[in-house]
Amino acid sequence: MIKVGIDTLAIYTSRYALDLGVLAKARGIDPEKYYVGLGQKMMSVSPPGEDIVTMAANAAKQALQGIDSNEIEMLLFATESGIDQSKAAGIYVHSLLNLPTHCRVVELKQACYGATAALQLALPFLQANPDKKILLIVASAMTFVQGRFKARMPPKAESGSL
């Protein structure tokens, strides 16, 4: 069996953050729900000019340092966040990173499982093509504005949404 693995890893998040104690106070709940229940004190918040595409491209640019992008055969973009209803976010990242034209782009949209599914898709491809690389991106930026969206459940910090 051919061994495959992760060559590089990079993380990018917004430089803005919200203290979850402030959020808890605004929602009238005990801050310990976040501090102890999630083990989290702060949550990143994206500014208006930043979205899953820009954050993904920033992380991927770091991860690709020293990598020959011509070896990248596929970009798997796992997300639960949409940017518009016409084009996959991975197409924009492909363009921003100047990936080769032979690089296929697949977007997987299913919350946390999208990333797991992307890994499951990548493994057999890499075992069959050990000389190739896959750029796997997981990105999420969920924003809810009071009165603009009707969700069945209120947005939750533990799911990365405000």
Side-chain angles (χ1 to χ4, degrees):
M1 176 188 286
I2 296 173
K3 291 186 177 186
V4 298
I6 297 171
D7 291 335
T8 67
L9 177 69
I11 297 170
Y12 179 89
T13 188
S14 173
R15 65 179 185 259
Y16 300 102
L18 172 66
D19 182 317
L20 290 175
V22 173
L23 178 63
K25 183 177 178 183
R27 293 193 172 163
I29 61 174
D30 184 354
E32 295 299 305
K33 174 181 177 177
Y34 302 126
Y35 296 160
V36 175
L38 293 178
Q40 186 174 336
K41 295 200 184 273
M42 304 288 283
M43 179 178 178
S44 67
V45 180
S46 301
E50 195 166 64
D51 60 18
I52 60 170
V53 171
T54 60
M55 290 189 288
N58 276 300
K61 185 177 177 184
Q62 292 173 42
L64 292 174
Q65 290 180 5
I67 302 284
D68 179 3
S69 65
N70 287 313
E71 293 178 354
I72 298 173
E73 195 72 20
M74 190 181 312
L75 186 159
L76 298 174
F77 194 100
T79 185
E80 61 184 354
S81 306
I83 55 166
D84 67 26
Q85 301 305 318
S86 63
K87 197 183 286 190
I91 297 293
Y92 295 106
V93 174
H94 181 279
S95 176
L96 287 170
L97 296 174
N98 294 314
L99 294 176
T101 56
H102 69 267
C103 176
R104 293 176 260 172
V105 179
V106 178
E107 184 167 294
L108 298 103
K109 231 185 209 132
Q110 185 57 41
C112 299
Y113 184 71
T116 302
L119 282 169
Q120 290 173 336
L121 285 171
L123 184 61
F125 177 87
L126 293 171
Q127 287 173 328
N129 301 280
D131 59 324
K132 301 294 182 186
K133 296 191 181 305
I134 290 179
L135 175 58
L136 193 153
I137 296 173
V138 180
S140 180
M142 297 186 64
T143 304
F144 290 81
V145 179
Q146 185 86 20
R148 287 190 53 203
F149 299 98
K150 291 186 179 179
R152 288 199 273 168
M153 298 176 66
K156 303 176 287 184
E158 55 269 27
S159 67
S161 60
L162 290 178

